[in-house]
Amino acid sequence: MGTDERDAAARDGSIAGAHILVVDDDPRLRRLLQRYLTEQGFRISAASSAAEARQVLGFMQPDAMVLDVTMPGENGLDLTRALRQEGQELPILLLTARGDPEDRITGLEAGADDYLGKPFEPRELLLRLKAHLRRFTPPAPSDNLRVVRLGGLEFDPARGLLNGPEGSVHLTGGEVALLTVLARRPNETLSRDEIARVLDMEEIGERAVDVQVTRLRRRIEPDPREPRYLQTVRGKGYVLKPGV
């Protein structure tokens, strides 16, 4: 088994028993997901509304959230935006009966890490959850990965941590995954297709990558409108240029 395979196996072991919060106003789907994910070894909490989800989040911190978009009252998109504004960085996977690519982009712009249209195969949900939990779980340290300096920030791609003068900077699972991909190959232009393939966004396409880049720039750039570190290479893709 190679180093990458060992690291992946270790991360798979680390997500065993992860705590998932399922939020959906459909009691039948809620029960089905709760039973299926429990059978797969996860610990599950369930909520029927955004208000109930907030109550759960008030006394425990799940490892990921599966969240319905079209709930009465505060919907899934509004809850996602609010949680991101409050500094919640846990992976959020949105569920919706609307599978249009534009709807998926809207979900990503709200701060979600993934978007799955109904009806869906439980196995696909499981695989997507595991993928995001692995990304959110820092990989094992590696001697050939160096800390990247971005002005007053330092990103450790071996651990998936971004630190600043005042401590850790909150990143979502998707933001960590994107910054890790770029930091592993600094000063090298990566195409949108390549980034989408690594981040498992091929189904949504290049615009999903652009959305993630925009979100990440808000975290690392002094002026996101004039990016210094995460630059666009016209017609080619994106490049991370470390520096002070």
Side-chain angles (χ1 to χ4, degrees):
M1 182 182 293
T3 300
D4 290 342
E5 292 173 312
R6 287 196 297 270
D7 289 347
R11 293 197 295 277
D12 276 341
S14 71
I15 66 176
H19 181 195
I20 311 298
L21 173 58
V22 176
V23 188
D24 198 303
D25 64 324
D26 182 341
R28 178 178 174 275
L29 180 59
R30 227 174 30 249
R31 288 193 298 270
L32 287 173
L33 288 178
Q34 189 165 10
R35 183 172 67 248
Y36 176 75
L37 293 174
T38 298
E39 291 172 351
Q40 303 305 314
F42 293 106
R43 294 178 295 118
I44 306 299
S45 294
S48 62
S49 65
E52 285 189 13
R54 289 183 180 280
Q55 291 177 357
V56 174
L57 292 169
F59 62 84
M60 66 175 61
Q61 179 62 46
D63 298 297
M65 181 185 297
V66 177
L67 175 61
D68 184 34
V69 169
T70 55
M71 297 185 297
E74 185 179 14
N75 64 36
L77 292 175
D78 291 337
L79 178 59
T80 298
R81 291 190 188 96
L83 292 177
R84 294 311 191 207
Q85 290 171 359
E86 294 166 9
Q88 285 278 3
E89 69 268 24
L90 80 168
I92 298 176
L93 191 154
L94 294 177
L95 301 177
T96 181
R98 298 174 297 182
D100 187 272
E102 285 300 314
D103 292 324
R104 299 187 181 201
I105 294 298
T106 301
L108 293 173
E109 289 175 335
D113 295 283
D114 208 344
Y115 202 101
L116 191 59
K118 299 178 182 178
F120 57 86
E121 288 292 332
R123 176 67 175 167
E124 181 179 2
L125 173 66
L126 175 66
L127 292 174
R128 288 174 180 260
L129 268 177
K130 285 185 174 181
H132 289 294
L133 287 166
R134 282 196 299 268
R135 290 172 187 156
F136 199 68
T137 302
S142 175
D143 292 338
N144 62 350
L145 294 178
R146 297 182 178 179
V147 171
V148 174
R149 183 75 178 269
L150 305 168
L153 302 174
E154 289 186 346
F155 180 67
D156 184 350
R159 294 177 173 82
L161 299 176
L162 180 65
N163 294 307
E166 298 180 0
S168 297
V169 177
H170 290 298
L171 295 177
T172 67
E175 290 164 353
V176 170
L178 174 59
L179 187 52
T180 299
V181 168
L182 295 166
R184 285 173 177 265
R185 296 163 66 178
N187 300 306
E188 180 178 344
T189 300
L190 303 182
S191 70
R192 289 176 174 84
D193 284 342
E194 185 175 4
I195 294 172
R197 185 168 59 253
V198 174
L199 299 184
D200 195 23
M201 290 182 172
E202 292 175 285
E203 183 182 348
I204 326 177
E206 295 182 354
R207 191 174 166 201
V209 174
D210 296 337
V211 170
Q212 290 283 29
V213 167
T214 298
R215 284 169 46 181
L216 181 57
R217 280 174 172 162
R218 296 191 190 114
R219 307 286 194 180
I220 67 173
E221 298 286 356
D223 183 357
R225 295 168 299 181
E226 297 289 338
R228 180 186 306 174
Y229 306 114
L230 179 43
Q231 298 183 10
T232 302
V233 180
R234 188 175 298 276
K236 293 185 178 181
Y238 295 103
V239 58
L240 188 71
K241 291 184 172 290
V244 294

